[in-house]
Amino acid sequence: MTEPVGRTSFGEPRVDRTAQLTARPTERDIAYDPPPMADSLHVRAARVLEDNWTGASTVPSRSLYPHQWSWDSAFVAIGLRHVSPLRAQTELETLLGAQWGDGRIPHIVFNPSVPLDAYFPSPDFWRSSTAGRAAGAPRTVQTSGIVQPPVHALAAWLVHRADPGLSRARGFLTRMYPRLAAWHRYLLHRRDLGAGGLASVVHPWEQGMDNSPCWDAPLSRVTPAPARSFRRADLDHGSAEDRPTDLDYGRYVRLATDYRDGGYADGPGDFAVEDPAFNALLIASEHALAEIARELGATGTARHARAERLTAALIERLWDPAEGMFFCRDVRSDGLDEGRSGGPAAGELIPERSVSGLVPLLLPALPRDIAAALVRTLGGPHFGLGGTTRLVPSYDLLGEAFEPHRYWRGPAWFNTGWLLERGLRLHGERGRADALRRAILHTADASGFAEYVNPYTGDACGATGFSWTAALTLDLLHDHPAWDTTAVRELKGGDRG
């Protein structure tokens, strides 16, 4: 589609978006990668983002997720930076424009033109402008009241690096930095519910891996909302076999209702979990904030030091050396286990192997022995990467709760694959990183940029034409553009069944 002539909400002239996304501008001599071939993987991925563009942000999926989602937009911006740095900046600016006064970035920013019954929970459920008034919810924008993983500072830094001249001319980082700093303060102070230095999530939706078996034990304490009190719009667009059960959904609704009715205040509640991926992304973004501070004239030293302290806390509280991976900690559980320093640590580790426990491989200050153990676990029988699985499953292949098609209980997701590809490369595992990248590119292409896939077969699950799948495809193609026309084609011919 073509945007009408006019001006965007940030004052720039509107342009033909399809031309902008599928071709390189001739007036600016910045070689991101070679011009894409007609109908190449690059062009097809860019078209997905164009189709999901609303004018100020990108929806994850037109049918299933018709609003703006927080960590989706961060991943979208990371991919968009290669084809439209301006639009990548706009993506993040729109999201952070809905930030609350207490610093939280809500997990959904609602589009007022979308009918209320198109998605549940809808704005009339969250009631952000009234129930969230004490927490500083915006009055003119309707949002949810919970959050999602803090990928945003990392995304902002990568977007800046794609076109520093444009970023500086627009004051992009100058405007983003105080908002991102407030977001991190919120997580580090309001969400340290386990008193161990890590941020807790207060709802499974906050961690992003909504239906993970990691939540089964903490959720068992939650009385589900009556089935008649809500209608699941997700089942209108997806198979019930791929989605959370009605019992789980009822518990999600109950938690969200109680949080809303408490004015979105963080404190005692039925659900509070320290999650390794959520905190690893906070640490990665804290490192990125340090780089942003340096770009703006500060030293960034304090933020790097904070990131290193958070890494130490992550290891202290969530690392299990015997299992070779990180685990979630249920800070509301009654029991006490022994911390690695020999002292008591509140709550219990949740003995479920999830891809979340591998994501800390992304961290630069991770001790070498821990990084090596994570790589072994990634390729071992519980995740099977490079052996039995094409992409990294979201849950333990040998776990009793494993289901290859059901939301976050086994399928592979492209954003976690992208994070692990970065982590493998960071820690010198170039061969494994290259293999994972090739698998991601091939599977994204073959599945129609699916939301998630069967980890064994690569068959599409959920929505197709999914934005972060397309965006992260663009990011991986940027590093090795030749794969757009060579390696991906070779994989199609010789891939195992």
Side-chain angles (χ1 to χ4, degrees):
M1 64 183 175
T2 301
E3 293 281 352
V5 175
R7 302 190 75 82
T8 71
S9 59
F10 294 96
E12 297 82 14
R14 292 192 185 279
V15 297
D16 183 328
R17 296 291 183 183
T18 302
Q20 181 187 56
L21 288 174
T22 59
R24 294 296 180 272
T26 57
E27 69 274 15
R28 181 176 296 151
D29 186 21
I30 297 178
Y32 294 116
D33 51 40
M37 298 171 59
D39 203 35
S40 67
L41 180 57
H42 176 108
V43 169
R44 292 195 297 278
R47 283 175 181 159
V48 169
L49 297 181
E50 175 59 21
D51 289 344
N52 290 342
W53 175 246
T54 68
S57 64
T58 307
V59 299
S61 161
R62 283 286 181 184
S63 60
L64 190 53
Y65 306 105
H67 302 285
Q68 183 179 24
W69 260 257
S70 173
W71 76 327
D72 292 73
S73 279
F75 288 121
V76 165
I78 288 170
L80 272 177
R81 67 190 170 118
H82 301 300
V83 290
S84 176
L86 174 59
R87 200 173 116 183
Q89 291 177 30
T90 301
E91 186 81 35
L92 295 174
E93 289 166 338
T94 300
L95 178 68
L96 268 68
Q99 186 173 24
W100 289 28
D102 64 2
R104 82 182 73 192
I105 298 175
H107 98 295
I108 302 175
V109 180
F110 289 106
N111 183 341
S113 67
V114 174
L116 290 178
D117 62 358
Y119 183 81
F120 179 86
S122 51
D124 57 341
F125 171 87
W126 295 105
R127 305 171 201 163
S128 60
S129 59
T130 53
R133 185 176 302 157
R139 295 183 179 181
T140 59
V141 180
Q142 293 298 310
T143 76
S144 65
I146 59 175
V147 303
Q148 275 191 326
V151 199
H152 312 89
L154 175 61
W157 177 239
L158 293 176
V159 167
H160 164 79
R161 290 181 61 190
D163 193 337
L166 176 67
S167 174
R168 290 167 186 148
R170 298 185 67 247
F172 172 65
L173 292 183
T174 301
R175 288 179 287 110
M176 291 293 100
Y177 182 81
R179 291 182 175 274
L180 293 168
W183 168 222
H184 285 208
R185 280 196 302 273
Y186 167 78
L187 292 174
L188 292 170
H189 297 287
R190 302 287 186 93
R191 288 299 190 87
D192 185 8
L193 303 179
L198 299 180
S200 292
V201 296
V202 299
H203 194 291
W205 290 339
E206 291 198 315
Q207 195 267 356
M209 303 178 191
D210 307 7
N211 197 37
S212 169
C214 294
W215 318 135
D216 290 355
L219 280 175
S220 67
R221 298 190 295 266
V222 178
T223 302
R228 64 182 180 278
S229 66
F230 60 91
R231 189 189 75 83
R232 295 183 58 179
D234 63 319
L235 297 182
D236 293 343
H237 306 284
S239 168
E241 288 75 21
D242 290 352
R243 308 294 297 176
T245 65
D246 286 342
L247 175 61
D248 285 333
Y249 216 90
R251 286 172 169 151
Y252 303 155
V253 172
R254 171 69 68 187
L255 279 175
T257 300
D258 290 348
Y259 193 42
R260 177 199 67 199
D261 293 349
Y264 297 111
D266 296 308
D270 290 333
F271 187 98
V273 174
E274 293 171 352
D275 175 77
F278 191 99
N279 282 280
L281 292 172
L282 175 59
I283 294 166
S285 279
E286 192 67 20
H287 281 299
L289 264 188
E291 296 303 316
I292 294 173
R294 290 178 60 187
E295 165 69 21
L296 297 177
T299 66
T301 304
R303 291 204 173 274
H304 278 309
R306 182 180 294 117
E308 291 176 3
R309 290 195 301 272
L310 286 168
T311 301
L314 183 74
I315 295 168
E316 180 74 19
R317 293 180 64 77
L318 305 185
W319 174 247
D320 188 326
E323 298 295 341
M325 66 181 301
F326 292 86
F327 288 90
C328 295
R329 182 178 293 279
D330 180 4
V331 302
R332 292 286 184 253
S333 59
D334 294 331
L336 294 175
D337 63 3
E338 291 297 312
R340 297 186 70 229
S341 63
E348 296 176 332
L349 291 180
I350 300 171
E352 298 286 359
R353 296 177 180 87
S354 160
V355 69
S356 173
L358 303 173
V359 169
L361 189 62
L362 182 72
L363 301 179
L366 205 63
R368 184 176 300 178
D369 62 326
I370 291 180
L374 287 172
V375 172
R376 288 194 298 271
T377 301
L378 184 59
H382 296 287
F383 294 93
L385 187 65
T388 58
T389 59
R390 296 169 183 251
L391 299 181
V392 186
S394 52
Y395 178 65
D396 182 0
L397 298 171
L398 305 179
E400 292 183 6
F402 175 80
E403 296 183 67
H405 291 279
R406 195 179 295 277
Y407 210 61
W408 291 108
R409 299 179 81 86
W413 292 70
F414 293 90
N415 63 332
T416 53
W418 180 87
L419 291 168
L420 289 169
E421 192 272 351
R422 304 284 96 166
L424 286 167
R425 198 167 300 283
L426 177 68
H427 290 284
E429 296 286 344
R430 181 175 177 179
R432 288 184 173 90
D434 286 348
L436 180 54
R437 176 183 281 152
R438 287 192 296 268
I440 291 171
L441 290 174
H442 168 58
T443 308
D445 187 24
S447 68
F449 304 101
E451 182 180 1
Y452 51 102
V453 297
N454 182 306
Y456 292 119
T457 66
D459 292 342
C461 302
T464 54
F466 201 72
S467 288
W468 77 27
T469 305
L472 297 176
T473 294
L474 288 172
D475 192 62
L476 293 176
L477 285 174
H478 171 74
D479 287 344
H480 288 274
W483 283 348
D484 193 352
T485 57
T486 57
V488 172
R489 186 185 303 127
E490 290 168 7
L491 273 170
K492 286 182 178 178
D495 195 33
R496 63 181 181 272

